[in-house]
Amino acid sequence: EVGGGGVVYAHLPTDVRKQWYALAFSADIPAAKPKRVGQAAPTPMSTSLLGDPLVLWRDLQGKAHCVADKCPHRSAPLSLGTVNGDSGHVECIYHGWQIEGTSGHVVEIPALQEGKPIPSNAKVQTYPVLEQDGVVYVWPGPPEAAEDTASPPRDMTDEGTALADPSSGFVLSTMCLDLPIDHSLMVENLLDPAHIPFAHEGTIGSRKKIEKMNMTIEKTANGFRGRIKPEYYNAFEAPCNIVLHTPPKPGSWDMYQYVACTPTAPGQMRMVYRAYRNFATWVEKVPPLKRAFDRMSQKIVFQDYQLLLGQQLRLREHALPWNSTIQVDCLPLAYRKYWQRTFGKKDGPWWRGWDGKLDVEDLEKLGSFDKEFDCNGCALPKRPHHPQNVLEVSGTPGVALRPEPSAAWKVWGPPLAAAVLATLC
């Protein structure tokens, strides 16, 4: 049955705030530098999760912290401040108030009169943080609920080997991107093998590979997976994660791709991408070749980015995400039904502002984009410039290209890419 009949997703929890979300790589969290303060100190990481504005940093002991991105003094964003190298606390840029990350309490107020206590309400909301295999996970629900919840599943082979362990024989490629796209659209895209010959023509797609497809779905412990061929699968793991098993040579060359499509806000997401392979591991030690393949991986992402931006515009014009469907659509359709029971509910999991009264529609506008105009004054959808969009014309934000392989790439690229490239599809 198209959509899975509810069987494959009915076992999944519907409170998506009581979940761990991949939000960054461990190596990217700014850390306190001993003795560095003020302008010499690093700036903490600013991001959001389900609309909640967040700030992350590491203290002097290397522990990662996450708190609400609002100073309890004058509501300035703490992410504009610094990580104080004397204390390891985050310091507000406005008046130098320092917040300790574990409790969320203000522990230092430079202008406070001698002998006066720090106000009891000088504190911010804290968010539980968990680090696993080089990924930072944040829990946006009640902190006490995180203590009774298992850690997120590790990135594993089908045989149960932890892919991040050095003894696994796999090497890791990573990518972290913030995209002005609703996470549900990217999840559906990655569950849809039928788009590859068309949307990814010029990179990993080819019209010579067009074929009839039949999708079979099976339930897993944390989600569901679909197959069009026995050796490959596209899997969804609640609440927003994709696992792709795409071995170039089944039985010898293996590849797993883990893609967290983390919803930072309605209409916005952060992609935390990990690709593991057990072949051509030497490429990671050749920087020019590694950069070339990383760049190709970005091209593949931004081919999807172009079409998903256009799809999102239509949805904001009240189009439906699905209209006519065929059998192979059953996997992303199953996800859409899960989304309707979770992220798409009327009350939903989304942040409602600091006072709890912000409408979700208003929150979504924070991630919307104005229109620009052509030479005739006709309105055009604005394509926001993305600094990592390798498909844009240099110096011309918003002008996207369908990549044309160079003559050299046409000769050696396809066979080498088939063996080495960690792709997203």
Side-chain angles (χ1 to χ4, degrees), residues 170-188:
F170 286 78
V171 294
L172 171 66
S173 298
T174 64
M175 179 166 43
C176 186
L177 295 170
D178 284 313
L179 301 170
I181 295 169
D182 193 82
H183 84 285
S184 66
L185 300 181
M186 184 62 79
V187 170
E188 290 174 334

Side-chain angles (χ1 to χ4, degrees), residues 267-288:
Q268 301 180 59
M269 62 165 284
R270 170 168 285 191
M271 176 183 284
V272 182
Y273 171 76
R274 293 94 71 199
Y276 302 88
R277 68 177 188 276
N278 67 353
F279 57 92
T281 57
W282 52 268
V283 169
E284 299 300 307
K285 301 178 181 179
V286 184

Side-chain angles (χ1 to χ4, degrees), residues 230-243:
E231 303 88 356
Y232 307 87
Y233 61 75
N234 301 54
F236 169 72
E237 300 288 315
C240 61
N241 304 302
I242 296 294
V243 184

Side-chain angles (χ1 to χ4, degrees), residues 102-161:
T102 301
S103 67
H105 287 280
V106 173
V107 293
E108 175 67 24
I109 301 178
L112 185 66
Q113 291 175 320
E114 191 75 29
K116 293 289 184 179
I118 292 175
S120 60
N121 65 345
K123 58 183 179 180
V124 298
Q125 180 180 350
T126 61
Y127 293 77
V129 176
L130 182 151
E131 293 192 67
Q132 182 173 267
D133 293 337
V135 177
V136 176
Y137 295 85
V138 173
W139 178 275
E144 61 276 9
E147 299 175 2
D148 301 323
T149 303
S151 301
R154 296 184 70 183
D155 298 350
M156 309 282 282
T157 67
D158 292 340
E159 295 74 31
T161 300

